[in-house]
Amino acid sequence: MPFSPAIASPQPESLWRHLAAQTGSLSTSPGAGQLESDLQVDVAIVGAGYSGLCAAHALLRRGVSCAVFDANLIGWGASGRNGGVISSKFRPSFSAMAKAHGLDIAKRMHRLAHDSVRTVEELIEEYAIESAQFERTGNLRCAHTERALAAIIAEAQWAKSALGDRSMTVLSRSEVVAETGSAGFVGGVLNSDAGTVLPLEYVFGIARGIAAKGVPIYTLTPVTAIERLPGAAGVTLRTPAAKVRARQVIVATNAYSSLTPATREIQRELVPFRSAMIATERLPIDLDSRLMAKRRSYTETRRMMKWFRRADGRMLFGGRDAFGKEGQSSGFDALQRAMVELFPELADVGIEYRWSGYVGMTFNALPHVGRADDATVFCLGYNGAGVAMASLIGQHAAAIALGDAPDLALLAQDGYRPVPCHVLRAPGARIVAAWYQFLDAMGK
């Protein structure tokens, strides 16, 4: 039986789709439709999310012919489902990187993190993506215990002294209460080099921009096989109706790599975590003026972290849901309980949108980008901080495909490195998540 795209599992009706429908972006999603005849390009890109489209953007700038292929529609995967948080960080702290790998590595990683924010700003300006509503209002990390607050203050002080990073400011308990409207935190650290975006509008905007400049984006066109022909340079990509010859291929399918046999091997690099989100109905005027009025993004210091922000006059609340599956309500119900615990005034405010998607987590909690072989480049594993980083790394993946060697510090990787005991990833993730929830509940 021929492969059928995962349209059988349609993208959930998120707030992002609702807003894109209002602007008209949803009905005018760019793309050349399905590939119906054979094609030859210099670089073929599998995956039309942030990484793949930004790789095409970089190739376009260098005059290299390319085409993008996706099994579904643009924005169907993580690029259209995430929380729209633009951050200049990785999951491991920069001080931990310095301790493990030296200060020079930490400085290079710090530069990459902040470069990723600049990348988003540049793309939005170049392609005039006003509908994405990008705002560099900062991210406030809210501490749930005094111990957690001491740790994030120490990290901010270290970054200032060792890296010259002056983007972080410590906020007291009263300042965090005034800022968020929640009494559930003991203080926090504000990172000014961060912001928010409407993620589906952002990915649509990049796609429209590169398509207008001649890059074909073939949607509903799954790549079912990537073949190396004996004695021949390059690769052949097979799709249901046609084949594509290319000198190089960039695989940018991340947590959705299991959709086709061609990219399934990459899935062994990842532990996919379900990330669930809820959005309230529009808030009453009094709450609208008091809760998160500065329009930042907010995260907390618990191991099973929750994040929250405002959009369209609503509260958005999200977090990891290692126990739930696509379409199950348990994760959404748990999020609503957690939201009301932090914001009791929201107890009687209805939830209007619920959606979820998958986050690609790696064994070392860092993104990976590099060569699988002399014709294949991969990029994956954004670990829940992918909007900005995927935009940057996609462009670096393009450079690697052209033979360059960009400075990627700890992100560079030659060849695939499967997660140890990958077959146990699902039960393992649940055990780790349960242990983290226990530690969070104990205030550890």
Side-chain angles (χ1 to χ4, degrees):
M1 180 180 294
F3 175 85
S4 175
I7 293 301
S9 174
Q11 191 184 55
E13 285 301 318
S14 67
L15 174 62
W16 311 139
R17 285 177 61 84
H18 166 73
L19 296 177
Q22 287 187 331
T23 63
S25 295
L26 198 61
S27 60
T28 58
S29 173
Q34 293 174 285
L35 179 67
E36 296 180 348
S37 58
D38 290 355
L39 181 68
Q40 185 163 345
V41 292
D42 289 329
V43 182
I45 302 165
V46 185
Y50 301 136
S51 295
L53 295 175
C54 289
H57 162 78
L59 294 169
L60 176 67
R61 280 188 158 184
R62 296 178 66 168
V64 177
S65 68
C66 63
V68 184
F69 306 88
D70 202 287
N72 288 284
L73 300 174
I74 294 168
W76 179 88
S79 293
R81 305 187 191 208
N82 66 82
V85 175
I86 308 297
S87 57
S88 52
K89 68 180 182 66
F90 298 98
R91 286 182 67 82
S93 69
F94 295 113
S95 59
M97 294 178 197
K99 184 176 181 180
H101 304 283
L103 182 59
D104 178 64
I105 285 288
K107 288 181 176 179
R108 290 156 62 191
M109 291 293 284
H110 182 263
R111 184 177 64 250
L112 286 166
H114 289 271
D115 283 351
S116 72
V117 180
R118 304 288 81 74
T119 297
V120 173
E121 293 173 329
E122 290 164 5
L123 286 163
I124 287 176
E125 181 177 359
E126 179 165 349
Y127 293 125
I129 318 175
E130 290 89 357
S131 61
Q133 298 181 24
F134 172 69
E135 296 181 285
R136 191 156 74 90
T137 48
N139 170 267
L140 179 57
R141 194 171 182 198
C142 305
H144 70 295
T145 65
E146 294 290 349
R147 180 177 179 180
L149 179 61
I152 61 175
I153 289 175
E155 173 63 20
Q157 292 172 339
W158 182 89
K160 182 177 180 179
S161 62
L163 304 176
D165 187 336
R166 300 184 178 277
S167 65
M168 288 180 276
T169 305
V170 177
L171 272 62
S172 67
R173 178 195 293 264
S174 61
E175 288 172 318
V176 172
V177 171
E179 165 102 11
T180 63
S182 172
F185 303 109
V186 300
V189 172
L190 172 64
N191 178 358
S192 63
D193 197 17
T196 59
V197 73
L198 300 184
L200 190 57
E201 290 284 2
Y202 176 56
V203 75
F204 282 164
I206 301 170
R208 281 194 301 269
I210 65 172
K213 294 187 176 184
V215 175
I217 306 170
Y218 294 100
T219 55
L220 304 181
T221 302
V223 174
T224 56
I226 301 174
E227 300 171 350
R228 298 295 303 274
L229 301 179
V235 294
T236 298
L237 283 66
R238 296 195 177 275
T239 73
K243 59 185 178 182
V244 181
R245 290 293 304 275
R247 291 190 296 112
Q248 295 279 307
V249 59
I250 297 172
V251 180
T253 47
N254 200 26
Y256 290 86
S257 295
S258 63
L259 288 181
T260 78
T263 57
R264 203 158 285 159
E265 181 183 3
I266 295 171
Q267 193 74 10
R268 299 180 67 228
E269 287 258 331
L270 300 167
V271 177
F273 260 62
R274 182 177 181 244
S275 184
M277 279 149 275
I278 57 176
T280 67
E281 61 191 12
R282 288 193 168 180
L283 299 180
I285 293 175
D286 62 324
L287 292 181
D288 185 60
S289 62
R290 286 194 294 106
L291 300 184
M292 297 177 289
K294 294 189 178 180
R295 302 181 61 83
R296 311 190 203 279
S297 62
Y298 300 83
T299 55
E300 59 173 16
T301 50
R302 288 179 175 86
R303 292 170 178 82
M304 290 299 285
M305 182 193 76
K306 304 294 188 295
W307 62 264
F308 38 100
R309 59 170 288 200
R310 294 285 305 283
D312 191 42
R314 308 165 190 270
M315 164 76 85
L316 275 70
F317 201 89
R320 305 288 177 262
D321 177 27
F323 305 102
K325 295 183 179 180
E326 198 80 29
Q328 288 186 340
S329 64
S330 58
F332 301 125
D333 295 340
L335 279 180
Q336 187 172 5
R337 289 192 297 271
M339 181 185 73
V340 171
E341 184 177 349
L342 287 175
F343 302 95
E345 299 114 312
L346 297 178
D348 296 324
V349 175
I351 303 299
E352 198 160 337
Y353 297 96
R354 302 177 171 204
W355 71 99
S356 65
Y358 287 97
V359 173
M361 311 290 280
T362 58
F363 193 63
N364 67 353
L366 290 171
H368 301 167
V369 57
R371 282 198 170 277
D373 55 47
D374 62 353
T376 307
V377 176
F378 62 91
C379 48
L380 52 82
Y382 303 113
N383 291 274
V387 183
M389 190 52 60
S391 302
L392 174 69
I393 285 181
Q395 298 189 47
H396 284 315
I400 293 170
L402 297 181
D404 297 346
D407 181 7
L408 293 164
L410 297 177
L411 309 186
Q413 178 174 298
D414 288 327
Y416 298 135
R417 297 178 191 172
V419 171
C421 302
H422 189 259
V423 70
L424 300 176
R425 66 193 184 281
R430 293 187 179 96
I431 291 170
V432 170
W435 175 242
Y436 282 173
Q437 286 182 341
F438 170 75
L439 293 176
D440 287 340
M442 297 295 292
K444 300 295 186 180

